[in-house]
């Protein structure tokens, strides 16, 4: 498979799409900065009264269930329904799927409201979302991305979407198609907001690349390559966060294409 990741990054920066994020309190600032660093335009709007209007002007919607409350869930449903009606790409990040009955109930309601374009999560989240009985550790994964390929394929078939699973090797599934992205460093798991930023960046690529499979692969490659570039300069979590944002801003399409390991 051939992926035009360099062209996709160049197009993202040229168009600077507005990405509407309904995301969690923990990562709002970092996620917004990640989108700005890569060249996109973030907005974090969750009020029920404005989500439909925000979706209308955005290039993509990213729904992240990290910190839930009933009003936020209502806003997520309204935003997803509006995006579906307008044909806008929807990225769903099922943070902590399987951790609590309420979280599972919300995910069921969201998926019944509108099918996402892309589901992006870790191995445990994807397994739980597919109905596999798995013990989770809060929002951290206890399963590898490779272990979740069959579950990802089930979700892809059920909802007609792409499923991107983060891990030591990122796995992206679209029906029978599977791509593996082998970039990244272990330190990325020690910094909060990395997965959430990956979902937001996938939303940015989805806004400029209509092929959701290619958008998901481009986002995973960019995250992994920038993680490696950041680790060249920072070996501890605090400094790594800043170095990663710098890498998102500094990486060129040519460097991304040269360093990305996609199989």
């Amino acid at each position: 498979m051939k992926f035009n990741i360099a062209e996709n990054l160049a197009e993202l920066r040229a168009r600077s799409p507005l990405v509407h994020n309904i995301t969690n309190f923990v990562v709002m600032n970092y996620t917004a900065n990640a989108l700005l660093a890569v060249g996109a335009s973030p907005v974090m709007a969750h009020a029920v009264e404005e989500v439909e209007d925000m979706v209308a002007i955005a290039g993509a919607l990213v729904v992240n269930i990290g910190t839930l409350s009933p009003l936020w869930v209502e806003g997520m449903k309204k935003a997803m329904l509006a995006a579906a009606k307008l044909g806008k790409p929807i990225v769903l990040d099922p943070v902590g799927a399987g951790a609590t009955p309420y979280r599972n109930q919300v995910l069921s309601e969201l998926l019944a409201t509108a099918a996402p374009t892309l589901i992006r999560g870790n191995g445990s989240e994807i397994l739980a979302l597919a109905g596999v009985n798995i013990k989770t550790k809060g929002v951290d994964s206890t399963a590898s991305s490779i272990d979740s390929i069959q579950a990802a394929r089930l979700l892809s078939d059920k909802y007609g979407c792409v499923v991107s699973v983060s891990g030591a090797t990122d796995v992206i599934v679209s029906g029978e198609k599977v791509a593996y992205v082998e970039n990244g460093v272990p330190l990325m798991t020690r910094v909060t907001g990395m997965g959430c930023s990956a979902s937001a960046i996938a939303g940015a690529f989805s806004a400029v690349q209509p092929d959701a499979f290619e958008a998901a692969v481009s986002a995973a490659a960019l995250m992994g390559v920038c993680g490696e570039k950041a680790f060249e300069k920072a070996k501890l979590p605090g400094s790594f966060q800043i170095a990663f944002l710098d890498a998102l801003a500094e990486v060129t399409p040519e460097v991304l294409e040269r360093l990305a390991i996609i199989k």
Side-chain angles (χ1 to χ4, degrees):
M1 288 177 283
K2 169 66 176 174
F3 298 100
N4 300 312
I5 59 173
E7 292 88 342
N8 292 334
L9 178 58
E11 184 69 8
L12 189 162
R13 288 176 171 162
R15 291 171 56 180
S16 187
L18 178 66
V19 181
H20 178 191
N21 300 267
I22 303 179
T23 190
N24 67 77
F25 291 117
V26 181
V27 304
M28 278 190 192
N29 178 266
Y30 194 79
T31 301
N33 279 323
L35 284 168
L36 285 169
V38 78
S41 180
V43 62
M44 275 59 182
H46 58 267
V48 173
E49 293 82 1
E50 69 169 351
V51 290
E52 292 168 311
D53 294 328
M54 199 64 76
V55 165
I57 62 173
L61 169 68
V62 178
V63 173
N64 175 310
I65 70 159
T67 51
L68 288 171
S69 70
L71 276 177
W72 279 41
V73 173
E74 184 181 348
M76 290 173 182
K77 291 178 182 176
K78 291 186 73 172
M80 288 179 70
L81 192 58
K85 287 180 178 178
L86 293 169
K88 303 288 181 78
I90 302 169
V91 177
L92 176 64
D93 189 333
V95 178
T100 67
Y102 178 60
R103 202 162 284 264
N104 294 340
Q105 173 195 327
V106 167
L107 284 168
S108 294
E109 293 174 1
L110 293 177
L111 288 167
T113 298
T117 310
L118 168 64
I119 298 172
R120 199 223 60 83
N122 62 40
S124 292
E125 291 162 350
I126 298 306
L127 284 163
L129 200 60
V132 178
N133 187 17
I134 182 168
K135 184 178 180 181
T136 65
K137 183 183 177 184
V139 300
D140 295 326
S141 184
T142 58
S144 76
S145 55
I146 303 300
D147 292 338
S148 68
I149 291 177
Q150 187 57 35
R153 186 169 281 129
L154 288 171
L155 290 171
S156 178
D157 290 342
K158 182 175 182 178
Y159 296 107
C161 68
V162 173
V163 180
S164 179
V165 193
S166 59
T169 295
D170 293 330
V171 178
I172 300 90
V173 175
S174 179
E176 293 302 312
K177 295 188 296 184
V178 182
Y180 303 87
V181 178
E182 298 183 346
N183 297 97
V185 294
L187 188 57
M188 295 173 77
T189 65
R190 308 302 299 168
V191 176
T192 190
M194 281 290 154
C196 302
S197 295
S199 294
I201 288 173
F205 276 107
S206 297
V208 301
Q209 170 50 259
D211 184 330
F213 186 58
E214 177 145 340
V217 170
S218 299
L222 179 68
M223 289 291 299
V225 167
C226 287
E228 293 169 355
K229 298 296 287 182
F231 192 66
E232 292 173 2
K233 299 179 180 179
K235 307 299 183 185
L236 295 172
S239 54
F240 182 84
Q241 293 183 73
I242 304 304
F244 182 79
L245 292 177
D246 289 344
L248 285 174
E250 290 174 348
V251 69
T252 64
E254 295 74 23
V255 167
L256 175 62
E257 186 166 49
R258 176 167 53 84
L259 296 181
I261 305 172
I262 304 170
K263 298 179 179 179

